[in-house]
C-alpha cells in the first residue's frame, strides 16, 4: 500500500484526510468481515480519513444459504456499487436485483436483507462512519429462497 501521509490541512489529526493509494496486491482478501460467506478487501480509506469513511470490496465466498437476515446499519451514508455479477436484496417487501454497473444508495436506517447472489458477485461498499454498527431488525415480509450454485 502506498501511503504518502500528506495531510489536507495544517495539523495531522482526525480533522484531516491523508492521501492513500492502494493497488490490488497491497491488501489481502479477508474472511473476518461482517459476514463469513463474503470476503473483504480494505481500500485504505478508513485509515486515510481517520475513521470517517470506509471503502472496501466485498465478494462472494460461499453459496447463499440464509443470507444476511433482516438488518439495518447505524450509518450516515452507505452506497453499494456492483462491479461484478449480481445480488438480490429485499428493501421492505420489494425484491431489488442489483447487477454489475448498478449503484444503490441505502438511506440511513433502511431495513434490508441480501438473500441471493452470483458466484462472481463483487461490489464496492462505501460507508460513513467506518465503524458503523449493524442491528438486527424484525422481518417485514417473507424472503424468497436463494438460488443454488452449480
Amino acid at each position: 500500500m502506498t501511503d504518502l501521509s500528506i495531510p489536507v490541512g495544517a495539523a495531522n489529526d482526525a480533522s484531516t484526510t491523508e492521501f492513500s493509494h492502494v493497488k490490488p496486491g497491497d491488501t489481502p482478501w479477508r474472511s473476518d468481515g461482517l459476514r463469513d460467506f463474503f470476503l473483504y478487501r480494505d481500500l485504505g480509506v478508513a485509515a486515510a480519513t481517520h475513521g470517517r469513511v470506509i471503502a472496501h470490496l466485498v465478494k462472494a465466498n460461499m453459496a447463499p444459504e440464509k443470507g444476511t437476515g433482516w438488518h439495518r446499519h447505524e450509518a450516515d451514508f452507505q452506497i453499494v456499487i456492483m462491479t461484478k455479477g449480481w445480488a438480490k436484496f429485499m428493501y421492505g417487501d420489494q425484491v431489488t436485483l442489483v447487477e454489475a454497473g448498478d449503484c444503490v444508495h441505502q438511506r440511513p436506517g433502511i431495513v434490508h436483507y441480501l438473500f441471493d447472489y452470483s458466484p462472481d458477485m463483487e461490489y464496492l461498499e462505501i460507508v460513513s462512519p467506518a465503524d458503523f454498527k449493524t442491528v438486527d431488525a424484525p422481518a417485514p415480509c417473507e424472503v424468497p429462497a436463494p438460488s443454488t450454485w452449480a
Side-chain angles (χ1 to χ4, degrees), residues 8-133:
V8 179
N12 188 13
D13 60 22
S15 68
T16 63
T17 299
E18 299 174 18
F19 176 84
S20 177
H21 178 191
V22 175
K23 292 181 172 274
D26 290 345
T27 57
W29 287 101
R30 300 177 55 134
S31 61
D32 59 350
L34 182 60
R35 313 284 180 197
D36 64 355
F37 44 88
F38 292 154
L39 295 175
Y40 299 82
R41 190 166 78 78
D42 179 52
L43 298 177
V45 174
T49 63
H50 302 280
R52 287 191 307 277
V53 178
I54 188 169
H56 53 215
L57 293 172
V58 181
K59 72 177 180 177
N61 185 35
M62 298 177 211
E65 290 181 9
K66 60 181 171 92
T68 62
W70 287 102
H71 65 281
R72 63 181 174 79
H73 301 292
E74 293 180 352
D76 299 323
F77 176 81
Q78 180 179 13
I79 62 169
V80 170
I81 301 170
M82 192 65 60
T83 58
K84 296 179 187 173
W86 56 266
K88 291 181 182 176
F89 292 80
M90 295 293 298
Y91 292 101
D93 63 355
Q94 297 295 309
V95 174
T96 302
L97 174 63
V98 181
E99 299 174 289
D102 292 357
C103 177
V104 175
H105 171 252
Q106 294 184 171
R107 67 170 170 75
I110 190 169
V111 174
H112 59 286
Y113 192 130
L114 190 162
F115 69 93
D116 199 6
Y117 46 89
S118 62
D120 63 339
M121 180 211 74
E122 185 175 310
Y123 61 85
L124 168 65
E125 181 176 50
I126 303 170
V127 188
S128 179
D131 65 348
F132 67 95
K133 305 289 185 261

